[in-house]
Amino acid sequence: MSDIPRISRRSLFRGVGSATLVAGCAAKTPTPAPAPGLDPAAPPLAGTALGPGPAPLRFTLNGAPQTLEAAPSTTLLELLRHQLDATGSKLVCDRGACGACTVLVDGAPQPSCMTLAHDVEGRGVTTVEGLATNNQLSPLQRAFIEHDALQCGYCSSGMLMSCQALLNRRGATDAAAVEHAIAGNLCRCGTYPNVVAAVLSVAKGGA
Amino acid sequence: MQPFALIRPTTLLAARDRVHEHPRARLFRAGGVDLLDRMKEGLDAPAELIDLRTIADEKSLRGINPDPAGGCQLGALVTLAELAAAAELDAVLREAAGSAATPGIRNLATLGGNLLQRPRCWYYRNVDLVCLKKGGDACLAVTGENKYHAILGGGPSFIVHPSTLAAALLALDASVDIAGDTPRNIPLADLFVGPKQDPTREHSLGPGELLLRVVLPPAPPGRRSAYAVAKEKQSHDWPLVEAAVSLSLATGVMTQVRVVLGHVAPTPWRSREAEAVLENQAPSADLFRKAAAAALAPARPLRHNAYKLPLAQGLLREALHRAADLPLPE
Ligand SMILES: Cc1cc2nc3c(=O)[nH]c(=O)nc-3n(C[C@H](O)[C@H](O)[C@H](O)COP(=O)(O)OP(=O)(O)OC[C@H]3O[C@@H](n4cnc5c(N)ncnc54)[C@H](O)[C@@H]3O)c2cc1C
Ligand code: SF4
Ligand code: FES
Ligand code: FES
């Protein structure tokens, strides 16, 4: 798409400015609709209600059972980083768009910034902290070092989780499958070829 | 995000009643991908999220099931990852589902939520701006940055419909089952509301109404289909333009041709003009070129999106060539 001119922040806001002038309406900041007083006499609910304050939550983090409390508006990423001190999963976009916060929920990779903490009730979460055993890096982690698959390292914990999920699922694999598996992990340092090489080396049994 | 209560109803009725009482303050939540995005931006601030995934008494919300009429039913809670992996589905749908967003998002995002996600227009997504869609009096895209906006069917708002699945499903003549005060089955095309009808909404569901499933009619004999898309990044991005095509090649000529373009118009855009060029004709590169020209003939680009015309023609030709199994000319 190199023939398409890039939009700079400045030109976006210039566009906005002229649009508001033409439209003759200054940009107002709408406050989101306030919650109406909810009917206390509503019929009993078939189901359960959590929050809005902290509510009990149980799940397993890297094999260890957790029993804690979290408000329903807490994302899984916030819970991991702020309440459980598991800061390996990184916060970058907070919108599901970069993959730095990728964790495994019952083995499936997903962005923890778009997952509510309470969504993992009763489930098993694996983060990058769960890859090493007894202070020994996992074969995949060693392969990342061996193949120089990280530079600044900001994407690496998410990258590792997407790649580990692929290895868990497929064992033997090929370059196309690795590229597909990391298609949700943005690396601004451009480590992709080395990540692919690292994963393939583990799939072949080396590190 | 502002605090909210998370409701886990066990019955369909409990979920619907809950939202019906306070449709502004209580929102259904499926995968939550679009919803959390909107809530983090401050565009929506519901007091309660009603989780659809705990509903236990409506089995058809989940999975891909046979339809009594011979086709199949896709539950509203089926994820994009499940659709992409379902070998029994037509290529156009599997390819579209497997191309949207990222692998991690596809594990969360659901079919129903994908069809009902709100548009990506950056003026809409910016909480500090009030355009037609948010009850203001002008579309800011008309005089602003409109690179990603509509070239067909636009006005007074120029959003493009964000759903990748919508284009593919429309090419398969899908309909949707809705649980509401009047339970109904409507053609998928009627789920979408264009800006001329009402610029503040994109779908026709009433308060507390729930999309239960998508119904696919039985495929005509010899049906083939394909999906083609261009994005600025191969992954992560919504399409710039996409084309979804299905046709039947049982007799050497193309019949039941469906041509749908996505991300060119406020609703997924079915091109009857292109279909008329193709129907009952033998596939050929020349004919596909004519069909692509016919599809884009009504297009009226804005200042920054004329690139979408040749892009859409190219993608439509690619999809037609792939569907008809005719090698693409250089
Ligand atoms: C990085 C990124 C890239 C993306 N790229 C694409 C792309 O290329 N193509 C594409 O199509 N999408 C793309 N998306 C959007 C994503 O696919 C949607 O956000 C997702 O499909 C929404 O589904 P959900 O289940 O999470 O919906 P939710 O967020 O749970 O719901 C969305 C809306 O629908 C309502 N709702 C949900 N289910 C029902 C139901 N059954 N009945 C009634 N109302 C309901 C909710 O109240 C809400 O308003 C992308 C998203 C991200 C983060
Ligand atoms: S295209 Fe629609 S959402 Fe975007 S600025 Fe115009 S009215 Fe608003
Ligand atoms: S921080 Fe979660 S995907 Fe970017
Ligand atoms: S190593 Fe820097 S972002 Fe990937």
Side-chain angles (χ1 to χ4, degrees):
Chain A
M1 298 290 99
S2 57
D3 53 339
I4 298 168
R6 282 201 52 80
I7 292 177
S8 67
R9 273 173 71 82
R10 206 187 308 136
S11 77
L12 169 64
F13 288 112
R14 195 170 55 228
V16 173
S18 63
T20 42
L21 266 183
V22 173
C25 67
K28 318 166 233 190
T29 307
T31 17
L38 297 175
D39 186 1
L45 170 76
T48 53
L50 297 178
L57 166 63
R58 283 163 176 269
F59 70 106
T60 309
L61 177 61
N62 300 322
Q66 308 288 329
T67 305
L68 53 145
E69 292 208 324
S73 56
T74 311
T75 64
L76 176 58
L77 181 60
E78 288 166 344
L79 183 86
L80 291 171
R81 293 181 57 86
H82 301 160
Q83 258 172 276
L84 293 169
D85 215 22
T87 53
S89 309
K90 299 300 177 209
L91 175 79
V92 178
C93 69
D94 204 23
R95 295 292 184 278
C98 75
C101 66
T102 304
V103 301
L104 309 188
V105 177
D106 289 343
Q110 59 185 62
S112 59
C113 70
M114 298 305 265
T115 304
L116 295 179
H118 280 278
D119 291 340
V120 299
E121 170 75 41
R123 306 177 74 181
V125 176
T126 312
T127 65
V128 72
E129 287 91 346
L131 293 183
T133 38
N134 304 327
N135 270 337
Q136 292 290 308
L137 293 181
S138 72
L140 182 63
Q141 287 171 310
R142 286 201 302 275
F144 263 54
I145 297 170
E146 192 75 16
H147 289 84
D148 201 14
L150 59 158
Q151 290 185 36
C152 79
Y154 228 80
C155 69
S156 306
S157 44
M159 240 356 143
L160 282 162
M161 299 322 289
S162 295
C163 296
Q164 190 62 55
L166 174 74
L167 291 170
N168 293 348
R169 214 170 48 242
R170 296 219 357 193
T173 191
D174 57 17
V178 181
E179 281 168 13
H180 194 257
I182 59 174
N185 297 88
L186 267 185
C187 174
R188 64 182 171 179
C189 304
T191 57
Y192 299 106
N194 297 4
V195 169
V196 173
V199 177
L200 291 182
S201 79
V202 178
K204 287 196 197 91
Chain B
M1 278 185 289
Q2 88 166 44
F4 57 83
L6 184 62
I7 310 296
R8 292 174 166 156
T10 50
T11 67
L12 183 64
L13 193 64
R16 288 194 36 229
D17 279 352
R18 194 86 186 171
V19 173
H20 198 264
E21 281 171 29
H22 289 292
R24 299 251 307 134
R26 297 172 174 175
L27 299 180
F28 290 131
R29 186 238 180 169
V33 177
D34 185 44
L35 211 46
L36 291 198
D37 190 329
R38 279 150 45 196
M39 289 163 65
K40 287 177 181 186
E41 295 295 342
L43 296 169
D44 287 86
E48 291 184 7
L49 293 191
I50 317 298
D51 204 324
L52 300 179
R53 295 173 302 184
T54 50
I55 296 175
D57 65 342
E58 182 54 70
K59 300 271 180 290
S60 71
L61 273 171
R62 289 177 196 82
I64 300 172
N65 303 297
D67 184 61
C72 72
Q73 301 182 348
L74 315 172
L77 293 178
V78 170
T79 63
L80 271 55
E82 290 175 274
L83 289 175
E88 70 268 39
L89 297 177
D90 287 270
V92 66
L93 184 53
R94 280 183 284 116
E95 289 171 9
S99 79
T102 68
I105 294 288
R106 295 197 288 271
N107 284 337
L108 291 173
T110 68
L111 166 61
N114 187 271
L115 294 173
L116 300 171
Q117 62 178 305
R118 308 258 6 229
R120 302 306 309 174
C121 172
W122 41 30
Y123 300 108
Y124 163 70
R125 293 275 163 178
N126 186 327
V127 70
D128 292 329
L129 301 175
V130 183
C131 64
L132 274 181
K133 185 154 290 299
K134 292 186 270 193
D137 35 35
C139 169
L140 304 180
V142 174
T143 48
E145 292 286 347
N146 45 45
K147 174 182 178 185
Y148 300 119
H149 290 76
I151 54 169
L152 284 158
S157 157
F158 286 83
I159 61 154
V160 292
H161 199 279
S163 171
T164 286
L165 297 184
L169 289 168
L170 216 53
L172 299 174
D173 289 332
S175 62
V176 288
D177 282 345
I178 294 165
D181 299 334
T182 40
R184 59 193 185 279
N185 173 275
I186 57 170
L188 177 61
D190 294 351
L191 178 67
F192 305 114
V193 171
K196 290 184 178 61
Q197 199 181 333
D198 184 351
T200 65
R201 57 191 319 198
E202 301 86 41
H203 65 75
S204 60
L205 296 188
E209 288 194 329
L210 207 145
L211 198 155
L212 279 180
R213 56 200 162 242
V214 170
V215 182
L216 295 176
R223 176 155 79 190
R224 328 168 55 114
S225 65
Y227 171 81
V229 60
K231 307 179 175 195
E232 285 185 320
K233 298 192 286 286
Q234 285 174 316
S235 181
H236 301 273
D237 256 352
W238 277 262
L240 293 169
V241 177
E242 62 201 330
V245 162
S246 91
L247 49 89
S248 182
L249 250 184
T251 57
V253 296
M254 298 177 288
T255 56
Q256 313 220 33
V257 181
R258 299 288 179 273
V259 170
V260 186
L261 295 173
H263 287 81
V264 295
T267 55
W269 187 262
R270 182 165 166 195
S271 174
R272 310 258 177 189
E273 296 88 345
E275 290 174 9
V277 171
L278 299 164
E279 190 73 26
N280 285 317
Q281 304 292 319
S284 77
D286 197 41
L287 188 73
F288 291 165
R289 203 175 273 113
K290 286 198 187 102
L296 276 300
R300 296 289 172 272
L302 302 164
R303 201 173 348 154
H304 306 120
N305 64 6
Y307 74 93
K308 284 193 178 189
L309 273 84
L311 189 57
Q313 295 198 27
L315 290 166
L316 179 49
R317 287 171 53 208
E318 179 193 329
L320 285 166
H321 276 273
R322 292 217 332 263
D325 203 12
L326 207 66
L328 261 168
E330 282 312 303

